[in-house]
């Protein structure tokens, strides 16, 4: 078998390493609210209602997202039934596909610089933020995959048919924002592409047809969905969503400069590697087509995202393969000049940061004993922090091992990957109870089986629908509407999220559990209405369920006057 065939059959080591670590990490805990639970809620309602054209959430059309990710979840459910294993496995597969597509893009961008193409995937797999965010059942990693595939079809000899298909898939993943990620490399094609320079007219004509083909894929769904979802859904889908985020964001509005400090978050751990600082600082001309492509892609796209009103760190995920290629190009040029950087350009800042973090984890229980630890997050983490400190100290020692060249790059990438997975494991085992909605979902599932109405105080984000397999909608009410709703639904249950734990809840609520930095309480409607009216509710038939049952933040539970349950 030729070597090229063996390479195609055996995945590269960086991909196998990332896949194994991600597969382990994503099953450490259940779906995270509110991102993963909301995605699963929409997929569940579409599945339950046999409504695959228009996404729904809490009984209403959901105009915020287009349906490709939901359809991929449904494909797995059609084979194995409704479960939360397939969506998580799907997310890992999408992430692996993104890394593989980014590596293929690097080979097409650097056809004459195999060293840069070889280094780029290692830069990408080590990034902490995309690894952690990729554990969410969300749309951005799938969008990043389609962006990489679209640009793969654009680079080298353009393959406009595949460009249209990949573009359409991106539009079906996140809507028109997909266009922002690929339009500038296309418009600036003659500056960086030999094929565009040789046939400018053909480049723009065929490219315009490919863009039209991708948009036609989106319209093939959007037009019938818009009419099926009704006028309000149609207006939100075609006008309010994109315009609202671009011009004057109704969600995640940030100042113009907000993304600049976020670059340090996105590029960690590489911002702590002095050898890379030196490679970037000594980068000099000439600029070839490869560098020009990266400039044509990254700079104008990043600039437009800075101008867009709505901002989130994960909006920039599709740009990270370009950033990884830029770093790989700088390091490859340094290697070509024979400037290895020596031992003084080793990974000591990263090792120092890891040792400091390990020391803080080791000292956390002692800090708790002084009585000066007031954050419940640190209090919860202190139960296991000393054990994890040992693991981080070992990773710090690994970073200090001697070595230069690509071996040092591989060691930093592997250490970063294991370090992020270790931090995630600490979260899963020490902190996830603040996000675990299974107890509340189980109670709401029982309420639904008893045909009891359910209300949520404040905006409901679909966090219970999938876990409880709810059918129908949960009513959204305000605090002042509790009494009115209870009179209309005397057998109903109400979920609320107070910032402080009311001692009366420990006596009269059906269930209490921590939720983020607040509390989650489930009440019978009559009992909560009585408490809100300043009255004493009737004694409940059962004691309040507490999750976790021995959680320190509950204090001393209120004693019952009777000898009942």
């Amino acid at each position: 078998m030729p070597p090229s065939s063996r390479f195609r059959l055996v995945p590269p080591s960086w991909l196998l390493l990332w896949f194994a670590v991600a597969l382990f990490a994503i099953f450490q805990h259940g779906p995270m609210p509110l991102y993963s639970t909301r995605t699963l809620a929409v997929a569940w309602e579409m599945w339950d209602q046999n409504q695959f054209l228009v996404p729904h959430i809490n009984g209403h059309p959901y105009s915020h997202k287009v349906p490709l990710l939901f359809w991929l979840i449904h494909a797995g459910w059609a084979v194995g039934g409704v479960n939360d294993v397939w969506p998580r496995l799907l997310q890992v597969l999408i992430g692996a596909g993104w890394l593989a597509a980014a590596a293929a893009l690097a080979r097409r961008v650097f056809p004459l610089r195999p060293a840069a193409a070889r280094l780029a995937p290692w830069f990408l797999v080590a990034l902490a933020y995309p690894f952690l965010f990729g554990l969410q059942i969300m749309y951005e990693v799938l969008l990043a995959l389609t962006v990489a595939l679209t640009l793969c079809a654009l680079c080298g000899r353009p393959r406009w048919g595949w460009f249209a298909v990949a573009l359409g898939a991106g539009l079906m993943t996140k809507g028109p924002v997909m266009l922002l990620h690929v339009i500038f490399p296309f418009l600036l094609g003659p500056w960086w592409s030999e094929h565009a320079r040789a046939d400018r007219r053909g480049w723009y004509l065929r490219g315009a047809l490919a863009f039209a083909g991708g948009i036609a894929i989106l319209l093939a769904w959007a037009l019938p969905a818009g009419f099926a979802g009704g006028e309000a859904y149609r207006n939100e889908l075609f006008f309010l969503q994109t315009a609202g985020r671009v011009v004057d964001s109704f969600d995640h509005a940030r100042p113009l400069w907000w993304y600049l400090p976020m670059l340090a978050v996105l590029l960690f751990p590489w911002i702590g590697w002095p050898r890379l600082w030196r490679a970037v600082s000594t980068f000099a001309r000439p600029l070839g087509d490869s560098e020009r492509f990266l400039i044509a892609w990254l700079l104008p796209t990043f600039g437009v995202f800075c101008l867009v009103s709505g901002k989130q760190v994960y909006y920039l995920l599709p740009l990270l393969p370009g950033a990884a290629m830029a770093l790989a190009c700088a390091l490859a040029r340094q290697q070509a000049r024979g400037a290895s950087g020596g031992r003084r350009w080793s990974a000591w800042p990263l090792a120092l940061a890891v040792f400091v973090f390990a020391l803080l984890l080791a000292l956390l229980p002692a800090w708790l004993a002084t009585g000066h630890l007031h954050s419940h997050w640190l209090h919860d983490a202190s139960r296991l922090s000393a054990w994890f400190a040992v693991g981080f100290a070992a990773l710090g020692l690994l970073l200090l091992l001697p070595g230069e060249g690509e071996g040092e790059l591989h060691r930093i990438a592997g250490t970063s990957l294991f370090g992020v997975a270790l931090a995630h494991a600490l979260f899963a085992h020490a902190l996830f109870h603040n996000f675990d909605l299974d107890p509340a979902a189980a109670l709401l599932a029982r309420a639904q089986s008893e045909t009891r109405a359910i209300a949520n105080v404040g905006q409901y984000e679909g966090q219970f629908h999938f876990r409880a397999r709810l059918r129908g909608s949960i009513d959204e009410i305000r605090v002042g509407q509790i009494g009115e709703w209870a009179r209309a639904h005397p057998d109903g249950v109400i979920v609320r999220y107070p910032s402080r734990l009311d001692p009366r809840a420990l006596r009269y609520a059906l269930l209490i559990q921590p939720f983020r930095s607040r509390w989650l309480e489930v009440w019978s409607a009559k009992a909560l209405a009585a408490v809100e009216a300043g009255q004493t509710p009737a004694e409940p038939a059962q004691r309040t369920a507490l999750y976790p049952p021995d959680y320190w933040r509950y204090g001393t539970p209120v004693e019952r006057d009777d000898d009942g349950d």
Side-chain angles (χ1 to χ4, degrees):
M1 181 181 294
S4 59
S5 300
R6 289 199 298 270
F7 179 79
R8 287 195 295 268
L9 291 176
V10 179
S13 58
W14 52 263
L15 184 58
L16 290 174
L17 177 65
W18 183 93
F19 187 84
V21 175
L23 197 63
F24 169 79
I26 204 167
F27 287 102
Q28 288 287 296
H29 57 70
M32 279 282 291
L34 298 166
Y35 289 146
S36 295
T37 53
R38 181 166 49 204
T39 304
L40 290 172
V42 177
W44 159 248
E45 288 200 44
M46 294 174 70
W47 179 272
D48 183 54
Q49 299 171 16
N50 199 30
Q51 167 58 271
F52 299 105
L53 186 62
V54 179
H56 278 69
I57 189 168
N58 200 30
H60 304 287
Y62 184 56
S63 63
H64 291 248
K65 295 296 182 289
V66 283
L68 180 57
L69 180 59
F70 307 132
W71 289 346
L72 293 176
I73 293 174
H74 296 153
W77 286 353
V79 175
V82 177
N83 59 79
D84 67 356
V85 173
W86 163 247
R88 287 188 269 183
L89 179 59
L90 172 66
Q91 196 67 22
V92 175
L93 293 173
I94 291 172
W98 176 42
L99 296 175
L105 177 60
R107 292 193 295 272
R108 295 185 69 82
V109 171
F110 298 109
L112 302 179
R113 297 183 183 176
R118 187 174 63 249
L119 298 178
W122 287 99
F123 278 101
L124 189 58
V125 299
L127 296 178
Y129 183 87
F131 178 85
L132 290 174
F133 187 82
L135 302 180
Q136 302 291 322
I137 303 172
M138 281 282 283
Y139 318 89
E140 270 66 29
V141 179
L142 181 57
L143 175 66
L145 168 60
T146 62
V147 169
L149 292 174
T150 305
L151 294 177
C152 272
L154 188 65
C155 292
R157 180 177 295 278
R159 293 161 293 176
W160 296 113
W162 287 113
F163 181 94
V165 171
L167 178 68
L171 291 168
M172 289 296 293
T173 299
K174 201 73 190 296
V177 71
M178 171 65 178
L179 298 174
L180 289 180
H181 286 287
V182 299
I183 188 66
F184 293 108
F186 167 70
L187 293 177
L188 298 174
W191 186 55
W192 62 266
S193 172
E194 178 182 348
H195 294 279
R197 288 191 293 268
D199 184 12
R200 291 177 181 243
R201 184 174 180 275
W203 172 276
Y204 287 115
L205 178 60
R206 296 184 183 92
L209 292 175
F211 270 94
I215 294 172
I217 293 174
L218 175 65
L219 292 178
W221 164 79
L223 292 176
F227 284 102
E231 182 178 359
Y233 172 75
R234 186 162 57 249
N235 289 337
E236 291 182 0
L237 181 66
F238 287 107
F239 305 109
L240 297 182
Q241 286 300 319
T242 300
R245 282 182 168 83
V246 171
V247 179
D248 186 14
S249 179
F250 48 75
D251 200 10
H252 314 310
R254 318 278 191 187
L256 184 69
W257 49 264
W258 188 81
Y259 277 131
L260 294 177
M262 293 300 106
L263 293 178
V265 176
L266 286 167
L267 295 179
F268 182 83
W270 300 116
I271 59 170
W273 191 22
R275 182 182 171 200
L276 188 60
W277 304 344
R278 187 184 188 192
V280 172
S281 65
T282 57
F283 189 90
R285 294 186 177 187
L287 296 179
D289 284 349
S290 301
E291 291 85 357
R292 289 179 177 181
F293 166 78
L294 295 177
I295 294 172
W297 174 23
L298 297 177
L299 291 187
T301 307
F302 179 76
V304 169
F305 272 93
C306 288
L307 294 174
V308 171
S309 178
K311 296 179 177 68
Q312 287 281 58
V313 179
Y314 53 80
Y315 289 173
L316 299 183
L317 283 183
L319 296 177
L320 290 182
M325 283 186 277
L327 298 178
C329 181
L331 191 63
R333 280 196 171 193
Q334 183 192 64
Q335 289 180 338
R337 295 193 306 267
S340 66
R343 294 186 60 184
R344 63 195 183 101
W345 300 112
S346 66
W348 67 264
L350 292 172
L352 179 61
V354 173
F355 284 135
V356 170
F357 185 61
L359 181 62
L360 291 176
L361 289 179
L363 295 177
L364 199 54
W367 187 15
L368 173 63
T370 66
H372 295 100
L373 190 64
H374 302 298
S375 168
H376 78 86
W377 299 104
L378 296 178
H379 196 296
D380 291 347
S382 67
R383 296 186 301 109
L384 299 174
S385 61
W387 295 100
F388 281 86
V390 176
F392 281 104
L395 292 178
L397 292 174
L398 183 62
L399 286 170
L400 290 179
L401 291 178
E404 298 179 4
E406 293 187 28
E408 185 179 22
L409 172 72
H410 298 167
R411 187 172 68 255
I412 295 174
T415 303
S416 174
L417 194 57
F418 282 112
V420 175
L422 192 61
H424 178 263
L426 174 61
F427 166 82
H429 294 282
L431 301 174
F432 183 69
H433 58 262
N434 294 288
F435 299 87
D436 186 1
L437 296 180
D438 279 0
L443 193 155
L444 296 181
R446 291 196 299 270
Q448 176 184 249
S449 68
E450 298 166 356
T451 66
R452 302 171 69 180
I454 304 172
N456 187 86
V457 178
Q459 183 177 359
Y460 176 62
E461 300 282 358
Q463 58 265 32
F464 302 115
H465 257 75
F466 173 75
R467 303 299 286 177
R469 305 294 194 270
L470 296 180
R471 293 179 165 88
S473 61
I474 288 180
D475 295 335
E476 294 182 357
I477 62 175
R478 298 187 298 273
V479 173
Q481 298 174 315
I482 290 175
E484 178 185 352
W485 192 89
R487 287 190 293 273
H489 307 88
D491 295 326
V493 297
I494 300 177
V495 185
R496 72 171 185 174
Y497 311 88
S499 58
R500 296 178 180 273
L501 184 60
D502 189 333
R504 293 172 297 179
L506 292 168
R507 184 177 191 124
Y508 299 111
L510 299 175
L511 177 140
I512 303 174
Q513 63 175 98
F515 180 57
R516 293 180 160 183
S517 294
R518 305 177 71 89
W519 295 93
L520 187 157
E521 300 172 355
V522 183
W523 291 74
S524 68
K526 285 183 178 179
L528 184 57
V531 167
E532 289 295 313
Q535 303 168 359
T536 301
E539 288 291 341
Q542 294 181 329
R543 291 185 183 274
T544 301
L546 303 178
Y547 174 83
D550 56 350
Y551 191 38
W552 63 275
R553 293 175 66 198
Y554 292 126
T556 303
V558 176
E559 294 293 334
R560 296 280 293 273
D561 294 332
D562 54 63
D563 295 327
D565 297 334

